[in-house]
Amino acid sequence: RTALLDVFLMFWVLAGFACLVVDRDATRARLVTWYESAAPETPGGPWLGARPWRIAAGVCLGASCAVKWSGIFFLVAFAVMSLMWDAGARRAIGLRRPYGGMFRHDLPTGLVAMAAAPALAYTASWAGWFATPYGWGRNWDQATSGGWAYFVLDSARSWVDYQVQVLTFHTGLAQSHPYQSWPWQWPLLLRPVSFHYPSDVKGCGAAQCSEAILGVGTPVIWYGAVIALIAMIAWYVSGRDWRGGAVLLAYGVGFLPWVYYAIADQRTMFLFYMAPLLPFMALALTLSAGLLIGPAAPQGSRRAVGAAVTGAFMLLVIVNFAWLYPVLSAETIPFEDWHRRMLFPSWI
């Protein structure tokens, strides 16, 4: 519907997260095979190979940084999370020094996968800029000759200068905007962004018509996700379930840095910065639905009640989205119908 970088950031962050989940499963299966093979006991365990899924995760997260620098928050947090999963896997099979094994065997390959691979992916995203002399700031000192060595040096210096310009721009971005909002407003959809609202719209059959594209989420999903995230906190605190912890970590590293920038720098920001967190909100809802429905053979009628509540929630989501759809897709509707869909005065 709208061409925003945050949509592509969301894709690469989710792809990197998915690769790490696959890597976690593959790593644990490999450790179980080693343990059951009567291999000589070692305090820290074995080396687990190159781990291509973690390398793929590093490439995806490097691509997320190439889309927007805020991808670095996910990269660092997911790298630490992956190493903690490694230590947890070694501890789960009874190794005496799980963290020693992680530092000795997993950290070196982790640095390749989650540091070198992202750096290469980020640099590769500039291939088009390096390949021609026409990009912004491409020839920093306007050199036109000097041989290949000088060309490479000038290219590197120009590229580093470009990065400095980007950093300077964003650290000083505090200009007011009518649709800016603060992070603590985002989970409750208190201030969305109006992308399209022309004047003098006709053709709706009423005296006054509206045609809008409002950058806002489906309220039932967003408010439900707030409850689901609270459930994830309770689940993780009570049972240390890795799934709840992973979702909470992803949500936190995508949200809390913006709280810091809002307080420390008064940086201009918008609701659509939440886009990379939408998959993790959906995962929180899905995991909460699983907890509500319960295991395959629960006692009494819990499963039927849980399924009914989950199904009712999904119906509310569909109805809520259908109700909002005209102001998400620039349908021409009477002004009164548009105004009824503005949940808060701050939506206008």
Side-chain angles (χ1 to χ4, degrees):
R1 185 169 72 246
T2 52
L4 292 171
L5 288 176
D6 304 81
V7 177
F8 303 98
L9 174 61
M10 174 178 65
F11 171 83
W12 288 116
V13 167
L14 182 60
F17 181 83
C19 288
L20 287 178
V21 171
V22 175
D23 174 72
R24 179 188 183 276
D25 291 344
T27 298
R28 289 184 167 241
R30 200 171 299 132
L31 271 174
V32 170
T33 300
W34 172 83
Y35 182 78
E36 293 177 344
S37 67
E41 198 278 336
T42 56
W47 181 62
L48 297 172
R51 309 208 12 206
W53 280 108
R54 188 153 66 176
I55 295 173
V59 172
C60 291
L61 293 168
S64 76
C65 296
V67 175
K68 289 186 76 170
W69 278 8
S70 54
I72 190 66
F73 303 132
F74 295 98
L75 171 60
V76 173
F78 288 176
V80 174
M81 178 182 71
S82 179
L83 291 173
M84 291 301 100
W85 283 350
D86 291 341
R90 293 175 184 274
R91 184 176 61 248
I93 63 171
L95 296 177
R96 288 182 287 121
R97 296 178 183 174
Y99 287 94
M102 180 269 287
F103 280 111
R104 181 180 179 183
H105 298 301
D106 301 320
L107 182 58
T109 54
L111 289 174
V112 172
M114 303 300 283
L120 289 173
Y122 180 84
T123 306
S125 72
W126 291 79
W129 185 86
F130 281 114
T132 70
Y134 304 113
W136 170 266
R138 179 61 186 82
N139 297 111
W140 185 41
D141 58 4
Q142 299 181 349
T144 57
S145 62
W148 278 103
Y150 192 82
F151 172 78
V152 172
L153 178 62
D154 175 61
S155 298
R157 293 172 64 194
S158 299
W159 184 74
V160 171
D161 182 67
Y162 197 152
Q163 311 307 303
V164 173
Q165 290 183 50
V166 173
L167 179 63
T168 303
F169 172 80
H170 283 95
T171 53
L173 186 60
Q175 184 176 355
S176 178
H177 189 281
Y179 285 102
Q180 73 179 58
S181 56
W182 301 116
W184 43 87
Q185 297 175 304
W186 298 344
L188 301 180
L189 295 174
L190 296 183
R191 185 56 171 167
V193 179
S194 177
F195 291 117
H196 175 74
Y197 193 89
S199 58
D200 299 324
V201 177
K202 305 296 183 183
C204 68
Q208 190 174 1
C209 303
S210 291
E211 183 181 290
I213 297 178
L214 187 67
V216 70
T218 305
V220 171
I221 292 179
W222 284 63
Y223 282 84
V226 171
I227 299 172
L229 288 164
I230 295 173
M232 292 298 99
I233 295 173
W235 189 29
Y236 183 72
V237 170
S238 63
R240 293 294 188 271
D241 191 284
W242 71 273
R243 294 167 293 179
V247 169
L248 288 171
L249 176 70
Y251 188 91
V253 299
F255 179 75
L256 294 177
W258 297 116
V259 175
Y260 167 79
Y261 287 124
I263 295 172
D265 299 332
Q266 297 289 299
R267 190 188 187 281
T268 309
M269 52 189 71
F270 303 91
L271 174 64
F272 53 75
Y273 287 13
M274 282 281 284
L277 304 186
L278 295 178
F280 303 103
M281 292 162 59
L283 285 172
L285 286 167
T286 303
L287 291 170
S288 297
L291 291 173
L292 185 64
I293 294 172
Q299 299 295 322
S301 59
R302 173 184 169 182
R303 191 169 180 84
V305 173
V309 172
T310 301
F313 177 80
M314 290 305 303
L315 287 175
L316 282 175
V317 168
I318 294 170
V319 170
N320 192 199
F321 178 76
W323 181 70
L324 276 177
Y325 185 76
V327 299
L328 305 177
S329 58
E331 285 190 8
T332 302
I333 58 176
F335 174 83
E336 291 78 9
D337 291 344
W338 167 82
H339 195 269
R340 277 195 292 269
R341 286 165 171 79
M342 299 297 103
L343 185 61
F344 302 109
S346 58
W347 281 27
I348 299 174

